[in-house]
């Protein structure tokens, strides 16, 4: 259990990616600090989010081997297809993890991670980014949560050709529509 009376430290995996700035903002808004960052490619743009002297690592294994002391939470913002492996090795190192969805691309991977978590002193927490969306909040307010409900949701997101040339547009790397709302 993390002592919430002290300042919490975070390491961001995938610090140069699209979603990392939102995590940095949330960390700052809750009086936390980003103590180190991990990415295979640090862009000038992404480094503007962090102090000049922040610890930088090119991969998670390097961080786990060389960083001391470890952070309170490892924040995984890397591409979806990397999550399962990164969560697994972080749990094996006893770390607490905040992972962008999905934690794994399939049920087999999720069960493996649940097993690892049950044997680890670390924990896995995931992001449910639509839980605070006004439409979802309205839905929750207007249904009886004590009984099963049938809900139909239409989610439309326009994507151009470039999207489908990245890992996000490939089902085997993103997990497909069921795990990749973005």
């Amino acid at each position: 259990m993390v002592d919430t009376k002290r300042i919490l430290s975070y390491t961001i995996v995938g610090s140069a990616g699209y979603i990392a700035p939102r995590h940095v903002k949330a960390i700052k808004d809750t009086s936390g600090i980003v103590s180190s960052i991990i990415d295979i490619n640090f862009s000038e743009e992404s480094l503007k989010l962090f102090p000049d002297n922040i610890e930088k690592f090119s991969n998670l294994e390097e961080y786990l081997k060389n960083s001391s002391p470890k952070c309170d939470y490892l924040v995984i913002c890397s591409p979806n297809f990397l999550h399962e492996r990164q969560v697994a090795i972080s749990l094996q190192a006893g770390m607490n993890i905040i992972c962008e969805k999905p934690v794994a691309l399939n049920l087999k991977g999720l069960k493996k991670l649940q097993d690892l978590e049950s044997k680890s002193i670390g924990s896995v927490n995931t992001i449910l980014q639509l839980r605070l969306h006004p439409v979802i909040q309205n839905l929750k307010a207007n249904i009886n949560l004590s009984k099963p409900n049938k809900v139909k949701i239409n989610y439309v997101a326009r994507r151009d050709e470039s999207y489908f040339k990245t890992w996000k547009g490939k089902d085997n790397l993103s997990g497909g529509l069921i795990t990749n709302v973005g």
Side-chain angles (χ1 to χ4, degrees):
M1 187 76 170
V2 176
D3 176 6
T4 57
K5 293 180 182 153
R6 65 180 177 77
I7 295 174
L8 298 178
S9 66
Y10 299 80
T11 293
I12 298 181
V13 180
S15 60
Y18 170 79
I19 204 68
R22 292 177 190 238
H23 286 272
V24 171
K25 181 180 181 328
I27 290 165
K28 288 179 180 177
D29 288 351
T30 57
S31 301
I33 59 162
V34 178
S35 57
S36 50
I37 54 178
I38 303 168
D39 211 301
I40 58 171
N41 182 21
F42 297 104
S43 67
E44 275 189 49
E45 177 87 13
S46 69
L47 288 174
K48 290 178 184 175
L49 293 170
F50 308 103
D52 291 338
N53 63 344
I54 196 162
E55 277 194 290
K56 298 177 200 76
F57 298 91
S58 61
N59 62 63
L60 183 55
E61 292 82 358
E62 177 191 8
Y63 168 79
L64 292 172
K65 180 179 176 186
N66 297 313
S67 180
S68 182
K70 301 286 186 265
C71 61
D72 294 301
Y73 286 96
L74 184 78
V75 182
I76 298 177
C77 300
S78 57
N80 294 5
F81 64 93
L82 299 173
H83 292 183
E84 183 181 328
R85 183 184 69 77
Q86 291 173 337
V87 169
I89 64 176
S90 301
L91 281 172
Q92 290 165 341
M95 301 201 67
N96 293 312
I97 303 153
I98 297 171
C99 185
E100 271 292 327
K101 55 77 190 145
V103 176
L105 295 183
N106 56 53
L107 190 56
K108 180 181 177 184
L110 183 61
K111 288 182 185 263
K112 176 184 141 194
L113 293 177
Q114 286 174 320
D115 183 54
L116 280 172
E117 184 180 29
S118 73
K119 297 172 185 167
S120 175
I121 61 170
S123 64
V124 181
N125 307 276
T126 193
I127 303 298
L128 303 171
Q129 82 270 23
L130 294 179
R131 75 190 183 287
L132 300 177
H133 191 285
V135 172
I136 301 299
Q137 291 296 304
N138 186 44
L139 175 67
K140 285 175 70 175
N142 289 297
I143 62 173
N144 183 347
L145 295 175
S146 65
K147 66 177 191 154
N149 295 273
K150 286 189 177 187
V151 177
K152 181 180 178 182
I153 297 176
N154 291 319
Y155 183 87
V156 178
R158 185 185 171 288
R159 300 292 179 226
D160 62 19
E161 281 184 38
S162 64
Y163 178 86
F164 295 98
K165 293 177 183 175
T166 70
W167 65 266
K168 295 174 190 172
K170 297 182 180 11
D171 288 355
N172 64 321
L173 300 178
S174 71
L177 182 62
I178 196 74
T179 61
N180 189 22
V181 173

